[in-house]
Amino acid sequence: MKKTLLAAALLAGFAGAASAQSSVTLYGIVDGGLRYTSVSLSNGDGASNFGLGYGQQSGNRFGLKGVEDLGGGNKATFMLESGFDIGNGTALQGSRLFGRQAWMGVESNSWGYVRLGRQLNFATEYVGIPVDPFGTGFGQLNMGAAFGVANTDRISNTLKYQTPNMSGFQAGVGYSFATGNTGLYTADAGGGTSGTGYNFASSNNTRQLTLGAKYANGPFYAAASYDKIYSEAGLTQGRSASISSWNLAGSYDFKVVKIAAGYGQTRDGAVLGQGGGGAGATLAGNPVGTGDLIFAPAVGTNSYIVGATIPVNPVSRVLLSWTMLTPNTNMKDIYNAQNQTAYNLAYTYDFTKRTNLYAFVGTMQNVGTVDTAKSTTVGLGMRHQF
């Protein structure tokens, strides 16, 4: 009898140890509220709408994260993350099942990680999310309105490597064999897409190289990124076309205020970013963009941001930023492009660690460098994380 009890106890112990080394976590965000949007031109064209707004501070999502101990300090990992519109229950990111992220990998504290699948580029991971006071959320208020390549740029069929943390320094490199993002080639005024599939002939796909480096030491943070995007042959009729974009940004936390600043350049086209998320049927379309690529030889922009996060008390913060997107001489001459400027303000209040209230207002002049195009948005809502 005692041996039976001992054996049962040992088996239970082994089972507990095994389960402790492997886990799967369900997580997500639900975010909704009200929003007013006004878009106008100096000639009187425009629209203003008021209604429900979804995924305003953070895109609505649910996902699964998993990890298994492989021994020797190595782990097998995966993430499957789906974006959805809580207004009507439909999937976002082109109706993909796991459109936000879908990857698997192996990692270790000693050598870093290798991942493959649909992932974020390093401009988003290293520059956009950590530096932007709005965390690449709040629609047109985030820095992605000026730094398109850092605005939650998701690229499919990507192989990524990141180094381990070396006294605060990390770096990474990734390559997408087929990004799955749509594209426009202005030289022919035509359009095309690499699709969601994967063709093994490289020229049949829109490809992307992404590089990044970051350093964090106490209140100081700095990061750099570089992305090179190559068009598919069918889009450019066999001619060579690519977009290059690099960014430098950083922040310093003085406790009473956290200051952020950044600068970047994009040449031979534009990355329009992910837009404002699900807006609801009653709201005006987001003028900033929907994740497309524009291949435009000899066209370029410079990007700027200055921002601040001000803690009011332990449960509330004020977010501020100014961004600017300046076109080069070719854009001014050909398209009469003008400087895009934006002023942004938000307030968040934490009811708990998982649930917060937010309010925001932002105004943007010369949206998308279009002369006199103006966009103003005001909203409030609640976000719950689980």
Side-chain angles (χ1 to χ4, degrees):
M1 182 65 178
K2 290 182 179 180
K3 291 182 179 180
T4 303
L5 291 174
L6 178 60
L10 289 172
L11 288 172
F14 285 128
S19 63
Q21 295 173 358
S22 179
S23 66
V24 176
T25 303
L26 172 67
Y27 68 94
I29 294 175
V30 285
D31 179 322
L34 297 171
R35 183 165 66 187
Y36 169 82
T37 301
S38 175
V39 182
S40 64
L41 291 168
S42 61
N43 64 6
D45 291 343
S48 59
N49 293 277
F50 173 75
L52 298 177
Y54 312 123
Q56 298 182 117
Q57 180 177 359
S58 302
N60 287 294
R61 71 197 73 172
F62 71 89
L64 297 170
K65 292 186 289 188
V67 58
E68 182 180 18
D69 191 343
L70 301 178
N74 300 313
K75 301 175 183 177
T77 59
F78 73 86
M79 173 182 281
L80 303 172
E81 188 173 278
S82 177
F84 61 92
D85 186 331
I86 63 171
N88 54 29
T90 57
L92 299 178
Q93 291 81 46
S95 298
R96 293 176 173 90
L97 177 59
F98 296 109
R100 293 184 61 90
Q101 295 196 66
W103 54 260
M104 62 177 296
V106 180
E107 65 181 69
S108 167
N109 291 333
S110 61
W111 56 262
Y113 74 62
V114 174
R115 295 172 180 172
L116 60 90
R118 181 170 171 83
Q119 305 169 66
L120 298 172
N121 68 337
F122 282 109
T124 298
E125 284 195 11
Y126 286 5
V127 177
I129 295 173
V131 174
D132 185 5
F134 297 91
T136 68
F138 292 97
Q140 75 173 46
L141 278 67
N142 74 64
M143 70 181 292
F147 296 76
V149 76
N151 187 19
T152 320
D153 184 23
R154 302 182 179 94
I155 45 180
S156 300
N157 304 299
T158 301
L159 180 65
K160 284 177 69 176
Y161 168 72
Q162 178 178 273
T163 69
N165 189 321
M166 297 173 286
S167 300
F169 175 82
Q170 283 184 287
V173 57
Y175 185 80
S176 169
F177 293 83
T179 68
N181 293 327
T182 57
L184 175 72
Y185 185 52
T186 60
D188 290 332
T193 176
S194 64
T196 57
Y198 172 57
N199 298 306
F200 285 92
S202 294
S203 62
N204 291 334
N205 305 293
T206 300
R207 292 140 287 141
Q208 184 164 338
L209 172 69
T210 180
L211 303 170
K214 63 180 180 177
Y215 176 73
N217 185 358
F220 177 74
Y221 178 84
S225 69
Y226 176 79
D227 284 80
K228 185 77 168 180
I229 306 169
Y230 304 90
S231 70
E232 59 173 307
L235 178 65
T236 59
Q237 304 302 311
R239 284 166 285 183
S240 175
S242 62
I243 303 168
S244 61
S245 181
W246 63 264
N247 302 287
L248 294 172
S251 63
Y252 194 93
D253 192 348
F254 293 94
K255 301 302 181 182
V256 294
V257 61
K258 182 180 179 181
I259 301 296
Y263 173 76
Q265 290 187 359
T266 301
R267 295 293 182 263
D268 297 322
V271 182
L272 298 183
Q274 295 299 316
T282 62
L283 291 177
N286 179 30
V288 176
T290 56
D292 294 338
L293 306 167
I294 297 177
F295 295 92
V299 165
T301 55
N302 297 340
S303 305
Y304 307 82
I305 182 174
V306 177
T309 302
I310 306 171
V312 178
N313 53 50
V315 297
S316 62
R317 291 159 298 283
V318 172
L319 314 175
L320 301 163
S321 76
W322 165 86
T323 65
M324 183 166 68
L325 181 69
T326 62
N328 66 2
T329 301
N330 287 332
M331 290 185 67
K332 293 178 180 178
D333 292 342
I334 299 172
Y335 305 106
N336 189 34
Q338 304 296 317
N339 292 349
Q340 172 190 287
T341 56
Y343 299 89
N344 309 298
L345 169 67
Y347 172 79
T348 68
Y349 180 86
D350 298 335
F351 292 112
T352 67
K353 291 183 178 180
R354 295 179 177 270
T355 303
N356 70 278
L357 182 72
Y358 60 81
F360 63 89
V361 57
T363 182
M364 185 182 297
Q365 187 67 39
N366 300 326
V367 180
T369 71
V370 177
D371 189 21
T372 77
K374 183 178 181 179
S375 176
T376 300
T377 182
V378 181
L380 59 88
M382 181 178 290
R383 181 185 68 165
H384 175 69
Q385 305 174 73
F386 62 89

